[in-house]
């Protein structure tokens, strides 16, 4: 079993903090394994008795009666009635306790939040729940738990986690990771055909069905075309109007931008995609649109497209974006306005892009993703926006063509892609 210490240590740091620990993430990314196997093992090793751990999997049909919040509350309270003991409550896939009416009306799931808030008042229970929908969990946590909820977002395996299990040649491992991604169950499969079939089935049998059951999807074909469009255009600027036109051209379907925008929200709420907004570095403001979308797992993206669009540049960019998110950074796309002379000598303004601005607390990093930096023209293009920024925050170029890392005369860290992914502290080298 792959030891996912980042998440285990994070959960351990939040023990008995008086809050509900909400473990979120795309389905099949390993949330249940982290909580019910790895974290439980940590508790047992530390001296917690098995009878102190109360577990309930709501996606098990044997537990369907506990989809009713009242029945769930009664079940838990019966098992933590001994006030002299401390208990650890673990509920898997909490969204099953949210009524269809609340889902249909897009209301906050007040009944299940009421149950969890009530259990919080009992001083002898530490609460952990998992869920696979951001709207029904992480976006509501601060409001519904009144400051008594903590979100731990779990991602598919990072490259360092993947490599810790696979081993072998690092470049071979990277090539495999870039093709099939980091969904944990893949480590149990042998052939590429098995991996392809598993990832393909996840879309049709899990992700799309989840969305269609949670929401009223009147145009399932549009949902799939939208997914294909996002997978095809990772790292490219887009918006609902542009995607709507693309779908009309491919499907000959009359779909309006409002519907596309709604379905975009569903795909993000299910953690299939993340949106990176554009940020004007000099004016310190966000652009309303267009934005970029990245797939939560590059393997899912590749298989959804039938392995037909294997652009190494875009896949690398998507991988770096996911890595920064997994390390706990908020990530934007940077825009820097430069004034340049055109061929006629006139001064014109041109917007140049910085792939990522990563922020955590008072730390900020500018990161460029470049597959190759062997060409002088390519190097000039990648460095130009970084050199135009005059603040003191760290500037970094990540490239697969780099060997050992170094800091150049302009203070820019140059680091190889694999070294960046394997070293959790690579931003501060």
């Amino acid at each position: 079993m792959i030891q996912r210490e980042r998440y285990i240590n994070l959960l351990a740091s939040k023990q008995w903090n008086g809050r509900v620990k909400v473990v979120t993430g795309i389905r099949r990314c390993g949330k249940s394994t982290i909580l019910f196997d790895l974290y439980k093992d940590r508790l047992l090793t530390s001296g917690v008795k098995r009878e102190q751990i109360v577990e309930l999997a709501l996606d098990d049909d044997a537990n369907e009666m506990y989809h009713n919040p009242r029945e769930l509350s009664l079940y838990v309270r019966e098992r933590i009635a001994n006030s002299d003991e401390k208990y650890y409550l673990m509920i898997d896939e909490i969204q099953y306790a949210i009524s269809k009416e609340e889902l249909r009306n897009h209301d906050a799931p007040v009944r299940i939040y009421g149950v969890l808030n009530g259990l919080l008042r009992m001083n002898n229970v530490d609460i952990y729940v998992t869920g696979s929908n951001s709207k029904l969990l992480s976006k509501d946590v601060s409001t519904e738990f009144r400051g008594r909820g903590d979100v731990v977002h779990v991602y598919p395996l990072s490259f360092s986690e993947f490599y810790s299990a696979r081993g072998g040649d690092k470049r071979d491992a990277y090539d495999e990771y870039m093709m099939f991604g980091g969904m944990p169950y893949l480590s149990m499969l042998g052939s590429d055909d098995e991996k392809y079939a598993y990832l393909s089935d996840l879309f049709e049998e899990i992700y799309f069905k989840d969305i269609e059951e949670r929401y009223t999807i009147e145009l399932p074909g549009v949902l799939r075309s939208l997914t294909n469009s996002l997978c095809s255009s990772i790292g490219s600027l887009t918006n609902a109007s542009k995607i709507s036109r693309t779908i009309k051209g491919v499907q000959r379907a009359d779909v309006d931008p409002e519907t596309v925008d709604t379905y975009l929200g569903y795909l993000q709420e299910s953690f299939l995609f993340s949106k990176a907004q554009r940020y004007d570095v000099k004016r310190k403001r966000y652009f309303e649109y267009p934005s970029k979308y990245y797939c939560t797992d590059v393997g899912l993206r590749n298989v959804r497209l039938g392995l037909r669009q294997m652009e190494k540049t875009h896949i690398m960019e998507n991988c770096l974006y996911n890595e920064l998110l997994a390390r706990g950074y908020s990530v934007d796309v940077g825009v820097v306005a430069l004034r340049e002379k055109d061929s006629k000598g006139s001064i014109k303004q041109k917007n140049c892009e910085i792939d990522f601005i990563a922020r955590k607390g008072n730390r900020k990093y500018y990161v460029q993703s470049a597959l190759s930096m062997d060409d002088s023209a390519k190097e000039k293009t990648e460095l130009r926006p970084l050199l135009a920024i005059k603040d003191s925050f760290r500037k970094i170029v990540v490239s697969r063509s780099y060997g050992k890392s170094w800091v150049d005369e302009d203070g820019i860290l140059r680091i190889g892609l694999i070294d960046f992914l394997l070293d959790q502290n690579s931003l501060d080298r």
Side-chain angles (χ1 to χ4, degrees):
M1 187 173 293
I2 300 170
Q3 299 300 312
R4 308 190 71 181
E5 290 297 321
R6 172 189 295 163
Y7 302 109
I8 303 307
N9 292 335
L10 188 55
L11 287 170
S13 72
K14 298 176 182 295
Q15 254 182 56
W16 296 104
N17 65 355
R19 299 183 172 203
V20 176
K21 273 65 73 175
V22 183
V23 183
T24 66
I26 188 174
R27 292 197 68 181
R28 300 295 188 266
C29 72
K31 301 185 301 298
S32 300
T33 299
I34 288 169
L35 184 59
F36 289 83
D37 292 315
L38 300 175
Y39 186 59
K40 186 173 79 170
D41 285 348
R42 172 77 69 90
L43 293 176
L44 294 172
T45 302
S46 70
V48 175
K49 295 177 287 187
R50 288 188 181 274
E51 54 267 27
Q52 291 176 263
I53 302 174
V54 179
E55 304 174 57
L56 187 62
L58 294 184
D59 59 344
D60 185 338
D61 59 3
N63 297 322
E64 187 174 356
M65 70 178 71
Y66 303 118
H67 294 184
N68 182 310
R70 177 174 173 77
E71 294 296 328
L72 175 61
S73 178
L74 290 173
Y75 172 87
V76 172
R77 288 174 185 272
E78 286 177 0
R79 281 154 182 77
I80 60 174
N82 184 356
S83 59
D84 295 328
E85 286 278 20
K86 285 190 171 184
Y87 295 91
Y88 295 82
L89 172 63
M90 300 178 179
I91 303 176
D92 201 19
E93 300 295 358
I94 193 69
Q95 71 270 6
Y96 282 88
I98 300 167
S99 72
K100 290 185 178 180
E101 183 180 358
E102 288 172 323
L103 288 173
R104 188 165 50 249
N105 297 331
H106 307 292
D107 294 331
V110 293
R111 294 182 67 200
I112 187 58
Y113 282 137
V115 168
L116 297 175
N117 276 323
L119 293 172
L120 275 177
R121 296 189 180 94
M122 304 176 70
N123 295 324
N124 66 329
V125 60
D126 195 24
I127 304 173
Y128 303 80
V129 302
T130 76
S132 306
N133 184 281
S134 67
K135 182 176 182 181
L136 303 179
L137 288 163
S138 59
K139 289 184 179 178
D140 294 326
V141 164
S142 59
T143 301
E144 299 300 333
F145 289 135
R146 303 183 185 112
R148 300 179 69 190
D150 270 338
V151 176
V152 175
H153 192 96
V154 175
Y155 294 86
L157 299 177
S158 67
F159 178 67
S160 61
E161 290 172 326
F162 171 83
Y163 184 71
S164 71
R166 183 193 185 278
D169 182 83
K170 293 177 182 177
R171 288 189 173 270
D172 288 344
Y174 173 80
D175 289 340
E176 182 179 342
Y177 184 77
M178 287 299 99
M179 177 169 287
F180 290 114
M183 300 304 283
Y185 186 71
L186 292 177
S187 64
M188 306 291 291
L189 303 177
S191 71
D192 288 356
D193 287 344
E194 289 178 304
K195 295 174 183 178
Y196 186 100
Y198 173 71
L199 293 174
S200 182
D201 286 346
L202 280 182
F203 264 110
E204 290 298 334
E205 300 303 322
I206 301 294
Y207 303 139
F208 287 145
K209 283 187 177 180
D210 273 359
I211 293 172
E212 289 166 2
E213 287 176 6
R214 286 185 184 137
Y215 312 105
T216 303
I217 301 297
E218 297 179 355
L219 301 169
V222 169
L223 178 67
R224 285 157 175 77
S225 291
L226 170 59
T227 300
N228 295 344
S229 178
L230 292 179
C231 287
S232 181
S233 62
I234 55 170
S236 300
L237 294 172
T238 192
N239 57 32
S241 296
K242 183 177 180 180
I243 296 171
S244 174
R245 292 193 296 271
T246 300
I247 293 175
K248 285 180 182 179
V250 173
Q251 271 206 343
R252 306 297 180 187
D254 187 17
V255 55
D256 56 78
E258 290 75 17
T259 299
V260 170
D261 192 54
T262 298
Y263 286 8
L264 276 173
Y266 296 160
L267 291 171
Q268 292 173 78
E269 287 161 14
S270 300
F271 301 116
L272 278 166
F273 295 90
S274 296
K275 181 169 77 170
Q277 289 185 275
R278 297 165 73 225
Y279 180 77
D280 189 322
V281 175
K282 293 185 177 179
R283 296 181 182 178
K284 295 181 171 52
R285 63 180 180 86
Y286 284 96
F287 293 90
E288 186 175 353
Y289 58 84
S291 303
K292 292 188 176 185
Y293 291 86
Y294 293 96
C295 196
T296 297
D297 181 77
V298 293
L300 286 171
R301 177 262 177 195
N302 296 338
V303 168
R304 184 64 195 172
L305 296 176
L307 302 181
R308 289 189 296 271
Q309 298 181 33
M310 301 296 292
E311 305 95 337
K312 293 181 179 180
T313 300
H314 293 155
I315 295 173
M316 172 183 164
E317 185 179 323
N318 200 147
C319 181
L320 285 180
Y321 175 80
N322 291 343
E323 177 68 24
L324 291 169
L325 289 183
R327 293 185 189 182
Y329 293 94
S330 62
V331 185
D332 300 314
V333 175
V335 177
V336 180
L338 301 178
R339 294 173 63 82
E340 298 178 336
K341 286 185 179 180
D342 62 16
S343 58
K344 298 180 180 179
S346 301
I347 301 295
K348 292 191 175 180
Q349 182 170 295
K350 179 180 180 181
N351 286 337
C352 290
E353 188 173 283
I354 298 170
D355 289 321
F356 305 120
I357 303 175
R359 295 183 175 91
K360 185 191 293 185
N362 62 357
R363 290 179 288 162
K364 181 163 69 173
Y365 306 84
Y366 301 103
V367 182
Q368 288 288 62
S369 170
L371 184 67
S372 174
M373 290 287 279
D374 295 332
D375 180 80
S376 58
K378 173 67 173 175
E379 178 163 315
K380 182 180 179 181
T381 299
E382 296 293 342
L383 295 180
R384 187 169 52 174
L386 295 179
L387 294 173
I389 302 171
K390 302 306 179 184
D391 64 37
S392 60
F393 292 107
R394 194 89 194 249
K395 302 169 182 66
I396 302 163
V397 177
V398 182
S399 177
R400 195 172 183 185
S401 63
Y402 288 154
K404 188 175 177 61
S405 63
W406 80 99
V407 177
D408 67 20
E409 63 274 13
D410 295 305
I412 298 173
L413 172 64
R414 314 288 194 96
I415 184 170
L417 171 61
I418 293 176
D419 286 348
F420 181 88
L421 295 174
L422 290 178
D423 182 357
Q424 299 302 295
N425 300 309
S426 54
L427 288 171
D428 295 305
R429 273 195 175 191

